[in-house]
Amino acid sequence: MATDDVAQLADSLAKTGVEDGELSYKGQGRKLDDAQSVEEMVKEIQDFEGLQALRLEGNTVGVEAAQAIAKALETKSALMRCYWSDMFTGRLRSEIPPSLNSLGDALMLAGARLTVLDLSDNAFGPDGVKGIENLLKSSTCYTLQELRLNNCGMGIGGGKILAASLIYNHKKSSAVGSPLSLKVFVAGRNRLENDGATALAQAFKLMGSMEEVHMPQNGINHAGVTALAEAMQHNPGLRILNLNDNTFTEKGAMAMAQALKHLRSIQVINFGDCLVRPEGAKAIAVSVSEGLPILKELNLSYGEITEDAALVVAQAVKDKDQLEKLDLNGNCIGEDGCRALKVAMEAMNMSELLGSLSEDEGEPEDDDDEEDEDDDEEEDDDEDDVDEEEVEEEEEEEEEEESTGNKVRHFSTPQSTPRPPEVSSFLSFPSPDKLLKLGPTRALLIEQQVDVSDATKTAEAFLKIASVYKEDNTEVRNAVLDSIDGLLRKAFTSSSFQGYSFVSSLLVLLGLIKSEDKVKPVIVVPGHLQALEHVVRQDYFPKESVAVLEAFMSRNNKTLESCGNAKNNLQSTLQRVRSQS
């Protein structure tokens, strides 16, 4: 081939970007107003045998120009991919629907079978969606796999039209044995809000084929998020879910956490800037820890997540071998919390996977003292009520035993292992004497009384038992440690137990970290730390939690001032255990 011919071919390839049946005019900035302005383009389209993909993005196309291009497409039955984003810049919105109608009609006339339709960045509003409505309902889109409509300003109305078109398409395509199986949906920055999102959720639920859903910045709150969450449960092949910058709140986060339990194929979760809040983050963490084996990225940034919730999230990813990034930036973790978070990730050999924390908002400010006092009083009242109820239940149970002889009813344990009322009494008002009176089976009795599937209740029970620890009384010390070992071994070996939630709850109850729920910390006594020193040395206690405890015990905290020797001993043990792991 002559040098001139090679140069001419290279120039032609650079001009049109031919690749695998693709004709590209991408980013050429052409102003195509009328038929004359597209004469050359039309000829190239007509002459292109086996045209499979046409790229028009980055140009501006008027109505007449679109009609001329459409005419050239009427014979292109092999066309599968239309990359038509950002091609109406500077055009009146009224010009866009007729242009889209012309192009859509041509594709239908040609009998094309589209797999990709990208109309992003065209800002065509609801009327623009009407311009592609017939196309989306037609057999040309029965084979559609990717639909990209990012930043189109569809609004609620456009979202509803789009959803109805997809549902209609699925119905018609199913009738001929090839149901619409859309895999990728992109519709960020479209002001869909709750109604638009809810309408689209119905389409997603019906198709059940989604692999990627990107709907950031759409003004969706918990009602729309809940609808999407329910729909996602019916899409088990989902790999990427991006709902960044919508407003979940706890309600939406809880619903999404439930949906994640059904999505074992998911690799990327982007709930950044979604206001998931602490309880929502914890719920999501539970779903992450229990499933999602191939998770690569988890983004819970800018969600008002506090320190305790952030630690729960960190512990939830410990077994995610394919994880590449955990983003918790912009939350309310605080300086000490950020350090503890880094320590926790380092202990799991995952420190390099933790994203920047440079924009952390710091710990949330406390409410005024008067409100805190009111809350404390309410909590005290609640505790008094609970204690009175428990005492009444014990008294009723004792009376029933006296009046019915051997026919004693026990509601919380099987009849084969009757529970003495002293167990409830001990857990309500712990004392060394009550613990010893439970006898040699005290550990089993306590296990039966405590719901070890609940990490918080288990932490509370641990602290109650530990509160009666006496270093100088061998009998009491052994009774405490045996009871604690029995309880925690059962908890940590249970498949449903969330060990990281236990540690988080323990730190909250000890007053070492704050909780959004305003949990009232216990009065810390040396026995709490002495019992904990024993626990961290046991084989049932997760080693990655040792580093977290060490980070918190190293802080100067007033709640531990009365436990000087016990605190120092615990710190030394934590350092030793960590160095051995």
mmCIF file of all heavy atoms in Angstrom, residues 189-213:
data_model
loop_
_atom_site.group_PDB
_atom_site.id
_atom_site.type_symbol
_atom_site.label_atom_id
_atom_site.label_comp_id
_atom_site.label_asym_id
_atom_site.label_seq_id
_atom_site.Cartn_x
_atom_site.Cartn_y
_atom_site.Cartn_z
ATOM 1 N N ARG A 189 -29.153 12.508 38.633
ATOM 2 C CA ARG A 189 -29.454 13.931 38.431
ATOM 3 C C ARG A 189 -30.663 14.142 37.515
ATOM 4 O O ARG A 189 -30.595 14.815 36.503
ATOM 5 C CB ARG A 189 -28.232 14.637 37.861
ATOM 6 C CG ARG A 189 -27.011 14.564 38.763
ATOM 7 C CD ARG A 189 -25.822 15.273 38.159
ATOM 8 N NE ARG A 189 -26.080 16.705 38.047
ATOM 9 C CZ ARG A 189 -25.260 17.566 37.440
ATOM 10 N NH1 ARG A 189 -24.159 17.111 36.850
ATOM 11 N NH2 ARG A 189 -25.549 18.851 37.390
ATOM 12 N N ASN A 190 -31.779 13.543 37.892
ATOM 13 C CA ASN A 190 -32.987 13.651 37.078
ATOM 14 C C ASN A 190 -34.210 14.143 37.851
ATOM 15 O O ASN A 190 -35.301 14.161 37.292
ATOM 16 C CB ASN A 190 -33.307 12.307 36.433
ATOM 17 C CG ASN A 190 -32.654 12.143 35.078
ATOM 18 O OD1 ASN A 190 -33.017 12.822 34.125
ATOM 19 N ND2 ASN A 190 -31.672 11.261 34.994
ATOM 20 N N ARG A 191 -34.019 14.481 39.136
ATOM 21 C CA ARG A 191 -35.147 14.961 39.957
ATOM 22 C C ARG A 191 -36.327 13.985 39.929
ATOM 23 O O ARG A 191 -37.486 14.400 39.826
ATOM 24 C CB ARG A 191 -35.591 16.364 39.506
ATOM 25 C CG ARG A 191 -34.479 17.397 39.483
ATOM 26 C CD ARG A 191 -35.025 18.822 39.317
ATOM 27 N NE ARG A 191 -35.928 18.950 38.195
ATOM 28 C CZ ARG A 191 -35.560 19.170 36.933
ATOM 29 N NH1 ARG A 191 -34.274 19.278 36.645
ATOM 30 N NH2 ARG A 191 -36.443 19.293 35.972
ATOM 31 N N LEU A 192 -36.036 12.734 40.034
ATOM 32 C CA LEU A 192 -37.094 11.721 39.984
ATOM 33 C C LEU A 192 -37.966 11.746 41.240
ATOM 34 O O LEU A 192 -39.158 11.437 41.170
ATOM 35 C CB LEU A 192 -36.479 10.329 39.812
ATOM 36 C CG LEU A 192 -35.778 10.078 38.482
ATOM 37 C CD1 LEU A 192 -35.009 8.763 38.525
ATOM 38 C CD2 LEU A 192 -36.784 10.059 37.340
ATOM 39 N N GLU A 193 -37.356 12.052 42.367
ATOM 40 C CA GLU A 193 -38.037 12.097 43.652
ATOM 41 C C GLU A 193 -38.731 10.770 43.961
ATOM 42 O O GLU A 193 -38.506 9.761 43.293
ATOM 43 C CB GLU A 193 -38.988 13.290 43.707
ATOM 44 C CG GLU A 193 -38.257 14.613 43.501
ATOM 45 C CD GLU A 193 -39.158 15.831 43.614
ATOM 46 O OE1 GLU A 193 -40.267 15.713 44.170
ATOM 47 O OE2 GLU A 193 -38.746 16.916 43.143
ATOM 48 N N ASN A 194 -39.579 10.765 44.968
ATOM 49 C CA ASN A 194 -40.175 9.500 45.408
ATOM 50 C C ASN A 194 -41.067 8.853 44.362
ATOM 51 O O ASN A 194 -40.993 7.643 44.116
ATOM 52 C CB ASN A 194 -40.993 9.720 46.688
ATOM 53 C CG ASN A 194 -40.113 9.898 47.894
ATOM 54 O OD1 ASN A 194 -38.959 9.491 47.893
ATOM 55 N ND2 ASN A 194 -40.641 10.523 48.931
ATOM 56 N N ASP A 195 -41.927 9.658 43.738
ATOM 57 C CA ASP A 195 -42.899 9.078 42.802
ATOM 58 C C ASP A 195 -42.218 8.498 41.568
ATOM 59 O O ASP A 195 -42.589 7.414 41.088
ATOM 60 C CB ASP A 195 -43.926 10.139 42.390
ATOM 61 C CG ASP A 195 -44.870 10.498 43.529
ATOM 62 O OD1 ASP A 195 -44.876 9.767 44.533
ATOM 63 O OD2 ASP A 195 -45.588 11.510 43.415
ATOM 64 N N GLY A 196 -41.221 9.208 41.056
ATOM 65 C CA GLY A 196 -40.512 8.692 39.891
ATOM 66 C C GLY A 196 -39.733 7.441 40.225
ATOM 67 O O GLY A 196 -39.718 6.464 39.458
ATOM 68 N N ALA A 197 -39.066 7.452 41.387
ATOM 69 C CA ALA A 197 -38.293 6.286 41.811
ATOM 70 C C ALA A 197 -39.195 5.089 42.070
ATOM 71 O O ALA A 197 -38.856 3.945 41.721
ATOM 72 C CB ALA A 197 -37.497 6.631 43.069
ATOM 73 N N THR A 198 -40.337 5.342 42.683
ATOM 74 C CA THR A 198 -41.273 4.250 42.985
ATOM 75 C C THR A 198 -41.817 3.624 41.705
ATOM 76 O O THR A 198 -41.976 2.398 41.607
ATOM 77 C CB THR A 198 -42.432 4.768 43.861
ATOM 78 O OG1 THR A 198 -41.886 5.287 45.084
ATOM 79 C CG2 THR A 198 -43.416 3.665 44.172
ATOM 80 N N ALA A 199 -42.109 4.462 40.713
ATOM 81 C CA ALA A 199 -42.593 3.941 39.420
ATOM 82 C C ALA A 199 -41.520 3.073 38.760
ATOM 83 O O ALA A 199 -41.815 1.972 38.261
ATOM 84 C CB ALA A 199 -42.971 5.107 38.510
ATOM 85 N N LEU A 200 -40.289 3.542 38.769
ATOM 86 C CA LEU A 200 -39.201 2.764 38.166
ATOM 87 C C LEU A 200 -38.931 1.484 38.947
ATOM 88 O O LEU A 200 -38.557 0.462 38.363
ATOM 89 C CB LEU A 200 -37.939 3.620 38.090
ATOM 90 C CG LEU A 200 -37.967 4.701 37.008
ATOM 91 C CD1 LEU A 200 -36.857 5.705 37.230
ATOM 92 C CD2 LEU A 200 -37.834 4.057 35.616
ATOM 93 N N ALA A 201 -39.133 1.542 40.267
ATOM 94 C CA ALA A 201 -38.940 0.346 41.088
ATOM 95 C C ALA A 201 -39.851 -0.784 40.626
ATOM 96 O O ALA A 201 -39.452 -1.960 40.631
ATOM 97 C CB ALA A 201 -39.195 0.673 42.557
ATOM 98 N N GLN A 202 -41.053 -0.437 40.209
ATOM 99 C CA GLN A 202 -41.977 -1.461 39.717
ATOM 100 C C GLN A 202 -41.432 -2.136 38.463
ATOM 101 O O GLN A 202 -41.559 -3.353 38.282
ATOM 102 C CB GLN A 202 -43.346 -0.834 39.431
ATOM 103 C CG GLN A 202 -44.057 -0.328 40.674
ATOM 104 C CD GLN A 202 -44.300 -1.432 41.690
ATOM 105 O OE1 GLN A 202 -44.759 -2.524 41.349
ATOM 106 N NE2 GLN A 202 -43.967 -1.160 42.943
ATOM 107 N N ALA A 203 -40.814 -1.339 37.602
ATOM 108 C CA ALA A 203 -40.221 -1.908 36.383
ATOM 109 C C ALA A 203 -39.043 -2.810 36.727
ATOM 110 O O ALA A 203 -38.888 -3.901 36.166
ATOM 111 C CB ALA A 203 -39.773 -0.780 35.450
ATOM 112 N N PHE A 204 -38.185 -2.360 37.655
ATOM 113 C CA PHE A 204 -37.035 -3.172 38.058
ATOM 114 C C PHE A 204 -37.485 -4.497 38.665
ATOM 115 O O PHE A 204 -36.902 -5.553 38.398
ATOM 116 C CB PHE A 204 -36.183 -2.420 39.092
ATOM 117 C CG PHE A 204 -35.597 -1.134 38.580
ATOM 118 C CD1 PHE A 204 -35.328 -0.093 39.454
ATOM 119 C CD2 PHE A 204 -35.305 -0.954 37.240
ATOM 120 C CE1 PHE A 204 -34.777 1.095 39.004
ATOM 121 C CE2 PHE A 204 -34.761 0.237 36.771
ATOM 122 C CZ PHE A 204 -34.495 1.258 37.662
ATOM 123 N N LYS A 205 -38.505 -4.428 39.493
ATOM 124 C CA LYS A 205 -39.023 -5.642 40.138
ATOM 125 C C LYS A 205 -39.557 -6.616 39.104
ATOM 126 O O LYS A 205 -39.339 -7.832 39.192
ATOM 127 C CB LYS A 205 -40.124 -5.253 41.123
ATOM 128 C CG LYS A 205 -40.748 -6.425 41.863
ATOM 129 C CD LYS A 205 -41.801 -5.934 42.844
ATOM 130 C CE LYS A 205 -42.461 -7.102 43.572
ATOM 131 N NZ LYS A 205 -43.492 -6.615 44.541
ATOM 132 N N LEU A 206 -40.237 -6.088 38.099
ATOM 133 C CA LEU A 206 -40.830 -6.927 37.059
ATOM 134 C C LEU A 206 -39.758 -7.597 36.211
ATOM 135 O O LEU A 206 -39.838 -8.793 35.914
ATOM 136 C CB LEU A 206 -41.736 -6.068 36.170
ATOM 137 C CG LEU A 206 -42.564 -6.784 35.108
ATOM 138 C CD1 LEU A 206 -43.564 -7.731 35.752
ATOM 139 C CD2 LEU A 206 -43.287 -5.763 34.233
ATOM 140 N N MET A 207 -38.731 -6.841 35.832
ATOM 141 C CA MET A 207 -37.687 -7.396 34.970
ATOM 142 C C MET A 207 -36.793 -8.377 35.722
ATOM 143 O O MET A 207 -36.471 -9.459 35.200
ATOM 144 C CB MET A 207 -36.845 -6.261 34.366
ATOM 145 C CG MET A 207 -37.607 -5.411 33.359
ATOM 146 S SD MET A 207 -36.585 -4.134 32.579
ATOM 147 C CE MET A 207 -36.318 -2.993 33.944
ATOM 148 N N GLY A 208 -36.357 -8.014 36.892
ATOM 149 C CA GLY A 208 -35.537 -8.911 37.709
ATOM 150 C C GLY A 208 -34.179 -9.231 37.125
ATOM 151 O O GLY A 208 -33.557 -10.224 37.526
ATOM 152 N N SER A 209 -33.700 -8.423 36.201
ATOM 153 C CA SER A 209 -32.465 -8.728 35.481
ATOM 154 C C SER A 209 -31.358 -7.713 35.714
ATOM 155 O O SER A 209 -30.285 -7.801 35.112
ATOM 156 C CB SER A 209 -32.764 -8.783 33.977
ATOM 157 O OG SER A 209 -33.360 -7.558 33.545
ATOM 158 N N MET A 210 -31.587 -6.748 36.595
ATOM 159 C CA MET A 210 -30.647 -5.645 36.750
ATOM 160 C C MET A 210 -29.300 -6.107 37.314
ATOM 161 O O MET A 210 -29.247 -6.918 38.231
ATOM 162 C CB MET A 210 -31.227 -4.565 37.666
ATOM 163 C CG MET A 210 -32.562 -3.997 37.213
ATOM 164 S SD MET A 210 -32.573 -3.385 35.516
ATOM 165 C CE MET A 210 -31.228 -2.220 35.557
ATOM 166 N N GLU A 211 -28.234 -5.554 36.727
ATOM 167 C CA GLU A 211 -26.881 -5.806 37.224
ATOM 168 C C GLU A 211 -26.238 -4.522 37.731
ATOM 169 O O GLU A 211 -25.385 -4.571 38.614
ATOM 170 C CB GLU A 211 -26.015 -6.419 36.115
ATOM 171 C CG GLU A 211 -26.477 -7.807 35.700
ATOM 172 C CD GLU A 211 -25.603 -8.413 34.628
ATOM 173 O OE1 GLU A 211 -24.572 -7.800 34.256
ATOM 174 O OE2 GLU A 211 -25.942 -9.506 34.143
ATOM 175 N N GLU A 212 -26.627 -3.384 37.172
ATOM 176 C CA GLU A 212 -26.138 -2.085 37.633
ATOM 177 C C GLU A 212 -27.303 -1.106 37.680
ATOM 178 O O GLU A 212 -28.030 -0.963 36.702
ATOM 179 C CB GLU A 212 -25.061 -1.522 36.696
ATOM 180 C CG GLU A 212 -23.787 -2.335 36.605
ATOM 181 C CD GLU A 212 -22.752 -1.650 35.726
ATOM 182 O OE1 GLU A 212 -22.798 -0.402 35.595
ATOM 183 O OE2 GLU A 212 -21.900 -2.355 35.160
ATOM 184 N N VAL A 213 -27.431 -0.432 38.805
ATOM 185 C CA VAL A 213 -28.438 0.627 38.944
ATOM 186 C C VAL A 213 -27.733 1.853 39.519
ATOM 187 O O VAL A 213 -27.181 1.816 40.620
ATOM 188 C CB VAL A 213 -29.597 0.209 39.865
ATOM 189 C CG1 VAL A 213 -30.537 1.391 40.103
ATOM 190 C CG2 VAL A 213 -30.363 -0.962 39.255
#
